[in-house]
Amino acid sequence: MTQQRTLSILKPDATRRNLTGKINSLIEGAGLKIVAQKRLHLSKQQAEAFYAVHKERPFFGELVDFMISGPVVVQVLEGENAVQKNRDIMGATDPKKAEPHTIRAQFAESIEANSVHGSDSLENAKQEISFFFAGIEILP
């Protein structure tokens, strides 16, 4: 296995309910290390730019509105096979279909307010990390 980095976002529904510590405990318990982290409130332009890949989908406006509804925690995770490991611990997008031990099964309010985002590929992880972090902000 190779060391990888991936982006994780704790979404507004998670920060509103003060779940960041519980979620990060699950992430770290899965063997991933948090090597960069910050809390911020996305602007509409930032959310639209970050989720531009979904611009033509019918849920785009609702997604943007949700992501700007409160603070988020963006973080870089590092570990062996980090992209897949993070996706496994997040669980299915629809919390009703997520495995019981996953973040979404435990904490998501709905398919829209599903508490976390994670990169879906190594290539996207690199792009998403650079969207939020300068190299100097990530610990070696």
Side-chain angles (χ1 to χ4, degrees):
M1 291 286 162
T2 60
Q3 290 287 313
Q4 296 178 344
R5 288 184 172 167
T6 190
L7 184 81
S8 169
I9 301 177
L10 308 186
K11 294 181 177 181
D13 63 298
T15 61
R16 175 177 42 80
R17 294 178 292 144
N18 294 316
L19 296 174
T20 56
K22 290 179 181 177
I23 291 171
N24 281 337
S25 180
L26 292 173
I27 289 169
E28 291 176 326
L32 295 169
K33 181 179 176 183
I34 300 168
V35 295
Q37 181 183 71
K38 56 184 153 182
R39 181 180 296 259
L40 49 91
H41 200 137
L42 295 174
S43 69
K44 185 172 184 174
Q45 289 100 343
Q46 288 170 319
E48 287 175 341
F50 184 77
Y51 287 107
V53 66
H54 299 302
K55 191 171 184 84
E56 300 304 318
R57 295 196 167 171
F59 61 82
F60 179 73
E62 290 174 8
L63 174 62
V64 168
D65 288 345
F66 171 65
M67 291 302 292
I68 66 173
S69 70
V72 298
V73 174
V74 294
Q75 49 197 17
V76 179
L77 309 178
E78 183 178 80
E80 287 188 20
N81 202 22
V83 173
Q84 189 58 53
K85 194 174 283 188
N86 187 47
R87 295 199 63 78
D88 291 344
I89 193 63
M90 287 191 315
T93 303
D94 182 346
K96 293 177 186 171
K97 296 177 182 174
E99 294 292 325
H101 65 282
T102 63
I103 293 167
R104 289 176 173 151
Q106 293 180 53
F107 302 117
E109 295 179 313
S110 67
I111 195 167
E112 294 85 16
N114 61 18
S115 299
V116 288
H117 164 91
S119 303
D120 63 1
S121 69
L122 194 53
E123 180 180 313
N124 284 343
K126 290 175 184 176
Q127 292 173 347
E128 290 180 350
I129 289 168
S130 68
F131 186 90
F132 289 108
F133 293 94
I136 195 168
E137 296 177 293
I138 303 170
L139 296 175

